[in-house]
């Protein structure tokens, strides 16, 4: 049975599943994944990612006091994420509906009791499953000109599996009674639910008479099940340790598949693998790389830029973001991981952008100078840069004073022409070389006197 067919036949228990618009969890998306109804897909992870896929559609009674409205629409590539049907009673100042029902693909998702509880102008969101082709039927009652507004939204999913899914089958003979024990994992909090799939995905092997008991309280009874019910959610309260008892009655071979879902309260575990703290580079863009461990869908941003994610195993999601470095010098990278329940983890890294080569100044060593030296010459000066610098003179290391940024080293020169090369390289790889041509002359000038002659006597 496909997800489309399932959506058309899934019966939902929604009388206690109506929540405020700003906090509604997309329970059905996780339910669908847990029991194999839909494929796993990476989902958006913050309320701001809610997207309208149908509507808003206003349905008004006009002069009548009742009416039936039918809307058919399509959803391109229905995803495994959750959907909410948003109901506004009495939009834009119109009178409110006082009764009726709303069905999506054959499942009643909003009842007369819900209309009574929804004040004029108020909005409620109901978790639903959408199909590729959808039919929305609203049978409404109210005063003249009463109206409602309906929209279908995609939403993030804050729940994760805490039990199952486990399939229970009715054998021949006496009713089957099975007990399962499970411990609530860390981070599980309300709202929490039991999800029930009745029979197989193709509609076969459905059960019409069974009981499900959680911690001594009957959660599902025979009145909740029949051959038309494909599945539903039941809000429950889990304990630290739980006992689930299933009594399978009805036709031999019929089945129930049960899972437990709870809302995530743990913050994502964010690990930054690159860049390292205080990383120095001369490029104007850096790859921010890391891993997030999270049991619901997660959105990762770096400097508000959405990172590309690759889901892995055991809840790990790898990410990468190509982040521009806009400032010479220190740049702050702000990492943020937000899960579908709104839990958030933040971290920062500082990256230093250095595109300027070091400045090298030599003391009293002009180019093309001729000096008299026995065997050595002292080379000195200063080297300035925004980051740490290494330097050498003719390949020999130069020690640079960290406070004054000065250096001094004696080098050996040969008689005649010499080249003195001082090279300074900063931490980003920018380099500056200064070359001086130095001629060493050890030979004194040759002086020849042509006159007067030696010991010359003259009367002048």
């Amino acid at each position: 049975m496909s997800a489309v067919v399932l959506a058309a036949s899934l019966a939902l228990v929604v009388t206690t599943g109506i929540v405020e618009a700003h906090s509604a969890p997309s329970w059905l998306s996780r339910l669908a994944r847990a029991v194999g109804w839909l494929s796993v897909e990476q989902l958006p992870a913050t309320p701001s990612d809610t997207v309208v896929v149908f509507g808003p559609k206003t349905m008004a009674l006009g002069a009548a006091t009742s009416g039936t409205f039918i809307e058919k629409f399509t959803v391109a590539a229905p995803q495994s994420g959750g959907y909410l049907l948003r109901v506004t009673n009495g939009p834009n100042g119109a009178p409110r509906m006082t009764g009726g029902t709303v069905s999506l693909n054959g499942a009643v998702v909003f009842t007369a009791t819900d209309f009574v509880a929804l004040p004029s102008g108020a909005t409620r969101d109901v978790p639903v499953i959408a199909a590729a082709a959808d039919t929305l039927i609203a049978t409404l009652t109210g005063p003249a000109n009463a109206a409602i507004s309906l929209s279908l939204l995609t939403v993030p999913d804050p729940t994760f599996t805490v039990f199952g899914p486990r399939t229970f089958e009715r054998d021949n003979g006496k009713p089957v009674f099975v007990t399962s024990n499970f411990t609530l994992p860390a981070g599980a909090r309300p709202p929490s639910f039991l999800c029930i799939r009745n029979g197989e995905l193709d509609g076969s092997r459905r059960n019409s008479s069974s009981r499900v008991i959680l911690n001594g309280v009957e959660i599902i009874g025979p009145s909740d099940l029949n051959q038309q019910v494909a599945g539903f959610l039941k809000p429950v309260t889990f304990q630290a340790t739980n006992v689930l008892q299933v009594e399978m009655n009805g036709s031999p071979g019929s089945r129930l598949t049960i899972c437990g879902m709870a809302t995530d309260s743990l913050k994502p575990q964010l690990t930054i693998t690159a860049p390292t703290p205080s990383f120095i580079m001369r490029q104007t863009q850096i790859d921010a790389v890391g891993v997030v461990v999270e049991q619901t869908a997660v959105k990762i941003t770096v400097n508000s830029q959405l990172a590309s994610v690759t889901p892995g195993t055991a809840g790990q999601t790898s990410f990468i973001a190509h982040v521009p470095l806009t400032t010479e010098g220190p740049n702050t990278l702000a990492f943020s991981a937000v899960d579908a329940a709104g839990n958030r983890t933040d971290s920062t890294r500082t990256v230093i952008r250095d595109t300027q080569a070091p400045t090298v100044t030599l003391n009293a060593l002009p180019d093309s100078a001729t000096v008299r030296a026995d065997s050595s010459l002292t080379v000195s000066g200063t080297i300035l840069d925004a980051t740490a610098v290494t330097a050498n003179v003719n390949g020999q290391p130069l020690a640079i004073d960290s406070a004054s940024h000065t250096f001094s080293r004696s080098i050996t020169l040969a008689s005649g022409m010499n080249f003195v090369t001082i090279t300074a390289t900063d931490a980003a790889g920018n380099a500056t070389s200064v070359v001086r041509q130095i001629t060493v002359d050890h030979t004194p000038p040759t002086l020849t006197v042509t006159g007067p002659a030696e010991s010359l006597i003259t009367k002048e």
Side-chain angles (χ1 to χ4, degrees):
M1 185 175 183
S2 68
V4 173
V5 175
L6 173 68
S9 59
L10 180 64
L12 301 177
V13 176
V14 298
T15 55
T16 57
I18 302 173
V19 295
E20 296 294 339
H22 66 274
S23 62
S26 56
W27 306 311
L28 292 184
S29 62
R30 180 67 64 175
L31 164 66
R33 290 200 293 268
V35 297
W37 291 338
L38 299 171
S39 61
V40 176
E41 179 180 314
Q42 187 72 8
L43 300 177
T46 65
S48 61
D49 291 331
T50 298
V51 176
V52 177
V53 295
F54 166 76
K57 178 67 178 180
T58 299
M59 301 175 178
L61 292 179
T65 58
S66 64
T68 299
F69 301 82
I70 301 175
E71 288 290 331
K72 294 182 180 292
F73 60 93
T74 60
V75 175
Q79 61 185 25
S80 60
Y83 293 87
L84 291 177
L85 182 66
R86 176 162 293 175
V87 182
T88 301
N89 199 4
N92 302 317
R96 61 183 289 272
M97 296 293 177
T98 57
T101 61
V102 178
S103 299
L104 178 64
N105 299 327
V108 176
V109 295
F110 209 77
T111 68
T113 302
D114 300 325
F115 277 113
V116 171
L118 191 59
S120 181
T123 295
R124 294 291 185 272
D125 290 344
V126 183
V128 296
I129 290 179
D134 299 88
T135 300
L136 192 63
I137 301 177
T139 302
L140 307 172
T141 60
N145 299 314
I148 63 170
S149 175
L150 300 179
S151 302
L152 184 68
L153 316 173
T154 61
V155 294
D157 183 358
T159 63
F160 67 102
T161 305
V162 298
F163 168 77
R166 180 173 177 183
T167 298
F168 302 85
E169 182 172 336
R170 168 74 163 97
D171 292 334
N172 289 316
K174 294 182 179 180
V176 176
F177 195 86
V178 180
T179 298
S180 297
N181 299 281
F182 64 95
T183 301
L184 205 63
R189 66 168 177 84
S192 50
F193 313 89
L194 282 183
C195 51
I196 309 297
R197 189 183 78 196
N198 191 9
E200 300 297 327
L201 295 179
D202 61 4
S204 64
R205 307 183 76 168
R206 286 183 177 167
N207 184 276
S208 299
S209 179
S210 290
R211 300 169 62 238
V212 178
I213 301 167
L214 177 66
N215 299 325
V217 178
E218 183 176 287
I219 305 300
I220 297 165
S223 61
D224 297 306
L225 301 169
N226 59 58
Q227 293 300 307
Q228 285 68 50
V229 174
F232 51 87
L233 291 172
K234 279 283 191 177
V236 296
T237 300
F238 291 122
Q239 301 175 4
T241 58
N242 299 272
V243 179
L244 182 70
Q245 297 170 300
V246 180
E247 181 183 315
M248 295 295 296
N249 298 298
S251 301
S254 60
R255 290 180 171 181
L256 293 179
T257 299
I258 302 175
C259 69
M261 313 303 301
T263 302
D264 182 20
S265 67
L266 295 180
K267 293 183 178 181
Q269 300 177 33
L270 173 63
T271 301
I272 302 169
T273 55
T276 56
S278 300
F279 185 72
I280 301 169
M281 62 184 300
R282 56 183 172 180
Q283 288 76 21
T284 58
Q285 178 177 282
I286 192 168
D287 287 344
V289 182
V291 175
V292 172
V293 178
E294 169 56 39
Q295 51 199 357
T296 67
V298 62
K299 173 192 275 185
I300 303 148
T301 58
V302 184
N303 287 0
S304 300
Q305 176 182 316
L306 187 63
S308 299
V309 298
T310 303
T313 59
Q316 291 192 9
T317 298
S318 301
F319 68 88
I320 183 171
H322 309 294
V323 185
L325 303 178
T326 59
T327 304
E328 185 76 8
N331 289 257
T332 299
L333 304 186
F335 293 76
S336 179
V338 183
D339 68 17
N343 304 305
R344 181 185 185 115
T345 299
D346 295 313
S347 187
T348 59
R349 283 285 164 88
T350 297
V351 175
I352 299 171
R353 191 187 83 178
D354 182 4
T355 62
Q356 305 300 313
T359 300
V360 179
T361 303
L362 300 181
N363 297 332
L365 191 61
D367 194 21
S368 301
T370 299
V371 300
R372 178 183 178 186
D374 293 333
S375 59
S376 64
L377 176 70
T378 298
V379 178
S380 63
T382 59
I383 300 177
L384 300 176
D385 195 80
T387 59
V389 175
T390 58
N392 67 80
V393 55
N394 288 357
Q396 300 300 311
L398 280 178
I400 304 171
D401 185 270
S402 60
S404 64
H405 309 290
T406 60
F407 66 89
S408 179
R409 183 182 174 99
S410 178
I411 61 173
T412 300
L413 299 177
S415 181
M417 184 181 294
N418 293 262
F419 289 95
V420 178
T421 303
I422 299 94
T423 300
T425 306
D426 65 19
N430 305 300
T432 297
S433 292
V434 176
V435 181
R436 293 290 186 264
Q437 179 182 317
I438 306 297
T439 300
V440 177
D441 186 357
H442 293 286
T443 305
T446 300
L447 176 62
T448 302
V449 179
T450 58
E454 180 70 22
S455 302
L456 175 67
I457 299 174
T458 177
K459 65 179 180 179
E460 295 297 331

